[in-house]
Amino acid sequence: RVMELVIDRSTVRSTRTEDAASLVMNANSRNVWRNLLESFPSPYTLADAELWIRHASSGEPETHFAIAAEKLGVGGIGFDLLKDVHRRAARIGYWLGEPYWGRGIATEALRAVTEHAFSRYDIVRIAATVSGSNASATPASGVAALVASVGVDDVRPRGSSASSHGGGGESA
């Protein structure tokens, strides 16, 4: 089973073992790490990349993917299907290597994965958590623009008491 969404600036696809070195190179950055949840390791090692690749590729259903640019895994994106009273919802998150920031890759990947999630699963809502320096740098209008541009239903800063969807593995 291999998932691949070819989009304009990148490809969102199943993780591959050969992604490990590139993921380490792109994830092992303070600027990347400080915008993610505390569970994201720093420093990010080859063992961390290999563990994430195994986790992402063994998920059933597969909901965590690599963001590939120039055929290399340069980031990660995924969603967690929620349970119980939230069973028709998901939480989405991503990270992208700093050299790829500002190119529209993350927005494009979020849009593609959001469409993929809504089309394949019985969900009616996708939530995101804004964390790290993004929380203070993202005004409400910026959050609204993100919600409108990628189809995410709810975006709140980490720690917001109004959100019942705390962070998970990856995060925006």
Side-chain angles (χ1 to χ4, degrees):
R1 136 205 103 153
V2 174
M3 196 285 285
E4 183 170 80
L5 302 172
V6 178
I7 41 187
D8 289 340
R9 296 171 188 88
S10 64
T11 301
V12 175
R13 59 165 171 76
S14 298
T15 58
R16 301 176 183 159
T17 55
E18 59 267 22
D19 289 332
S22 180
L23 291 173
V24 171
M25 186 173 64
N26 283 285
N28 200 21
S29 159
R30 185 179 191 288
N31 288 331
V32 169
W33 171 79
R34 71 189 190 126
N35 291 307
L36 299 174
L37 298 178
E38 293 174 0
S39 60
F40 195 88
S42 179
Y44 194 88
T45 67
L46 186 59
D48 295 319
E50 291 168 343
L51 179 66
W52 184 75
I53 289 167
R54 279 193 307 277
H55 166 76
S57 62
S58 66
E60 194 53 53
E62 183 181 22
T63 59
H64 293 177
F65 313 101
I67 300 173
E70 302 151 7
K71 300 191 183 203
L72 299 172
V74 297
I77 188 164
F79 56 95
D80 294 321
L81 297 167
L82 302 180
K83 297 182 183 336
D84 199 14
V85 297
H86 301 289
R87 68 188 169 278
R88 296 198 61 212
R91 183 181 55 234
I92 196 166
Y94 73 93
W95 68 269
L96 185 65
E98 195 173 358
Y100 300 90
W101 292 3
R103 299 185 191 182
I105 292 172
T107 300
E108 170 181 89
L110 279 166
R111 185 176 291 119
V113 171
T114 298
E115 290 171 7
H116 170 77
F118 279 125
S119 71
R120 300 229 20 212
Y121 302 97
D122 183 27
I123 58 174
V124 296
R125 178 181 182 169
I126 295 179
T129 301
V130 179
S131 39
S133 63
N134 285 338
S136 61
T138 307
S141 60
V143 171
L146 173 69
V147 169
S149 71
V150 300
V152 175
D153 184 54
D154 184 21
V155 178
R156 299 183 192 272
R158 179 172 51 180
S160 169
S161 60
S163 175
S164 63
H165 303 290
E170 303 124 315
S171 183

